[in-house]
Amino acid sequence: MKKKKMISLFMAFGMAATLLAGCGSSTDSSGETEETASAAEESSESESAAAEETADAPSCQGALEGVTLVVGTSGTYAPFSYFAEDGVTLQGFDIDFLYALQDILGFEIADDTIQDMDYSPLGTSISQGTLDIAAAALCATDERKESMNFTDIYYDAGIVVVVGVDNETITSVDDLTGGEYTVAIQSGTIAYEYAVANLPEDCLQTYDSQALAYKAVEDGQADATIYDQPGTAYSIKTGEINLKIVGDEFYTGQAPYALALSFDICEEYPEIVDDFNEAIAYLEETGKMDEIKAAWCD
């Protein structure tokens, strides 16, 4: 009997020890499970964030990292590219546009400087390959395409009717077709091309510069002028002219602005035009292009 009692006691102690050991094991296991679950959750959230970031980025992100481009513009055409009051700093739509593209594609700008030159040497520099890319509100004309490549259009500039601030009789371009109003135009422009083709010849007054055409309207020598919308809106916004725009923008599609790239850089990097086109499309899809336009052209 004593022997049986001793055996029973040992068995009881053994079971108790096992139960205690099981509780301890369960507590540790639970702790490890909570830590593992927490780590797994953090890892999942991190992966989701990374996946979302990757999904949001265009496939051309960083496509031109390590590539240095010689970049040019013309600082004579506000609001697209012109000098700030210090006379040194380039600013405008095209400048912000270039830097936005650089943020996506990752290219470097040679000497960290966008070169400024007049339109004639700008075109020559691109065609000869001394510039790799130019952003200067350049129209992608068939003639220019013979000596350089172009990206997709990033801005389609139309023209508008501009009159004196007190003029209430002219409300749109339709009012100019009858020939009762004199219209000041700058020769050699898209506006001139439109006026010669669509307005009575005897109502047109031709000037060598748009500044003179604006002044003719301000001084009452002409009833209206027609010129490109972004340039006119900028001149009114900054107080350079005391005039107003009437009616809607028209004759769009005739001045399609695009980036120009030299044949040499396109030969060296065959995918470069496609890369720029994808980056341009991304800026449009994400609303960044609208932000740049609102800052400089509205």
Side-chain angles (χ1 to χ4, degrees), residues 43-66:
S43 176
S44 177
E45 290 175 356
S46 177
E47 289 175 1
S48 296
E52 185 177 346
E53 184 178 346
T54 301
D56 290 341
S59 60
C60 64
Q61 185 77 45
L64 297 179
E65 285 186 2

Side-chain angles (χ1 to χ4, degrees), residues 93 97 154 280 283-284 286-294:
F93 183 107
F97 178 45
Y154 66 84
I280 291 169
L283 291 176
E284 291 173 343
T286 57
K288 180 63 176 178
M289 195 70 86
D290 289 334
E291 291 179 17
I292 298 174
K293 182 177 180 180

Side-chain angles (χ1 to χ4, degrees), residues 132-189:
D132 296 318
I133 184 168
L138 287 170
C139 294
T141 63
D142 290 337
E143 181 181 357
R144 283 176 174 161
K145 288 177 182 178
E146 294 178 2
S147 58
M148 62 192 75
N149 286 327
F150 284 95
T151 64
D152 290 339
I153 296 166
Y154 66 84
Y155 195 102
D156 186 6
I159 55 180
V160 289
V161 176
V162 188
V163 299
V165 291
D166 296 326
N167 188 313
E168 300 296 337
T169 59
I170 299 174
T171 59
S172 74
V173 67
D174 294 335
D175 294 325
L176 305 180
T177 59
E180 58 185 301
Y181 299 109
T182 56
V183 181
I185 50 172
Q186 179 188 356
S187 60
T189 63

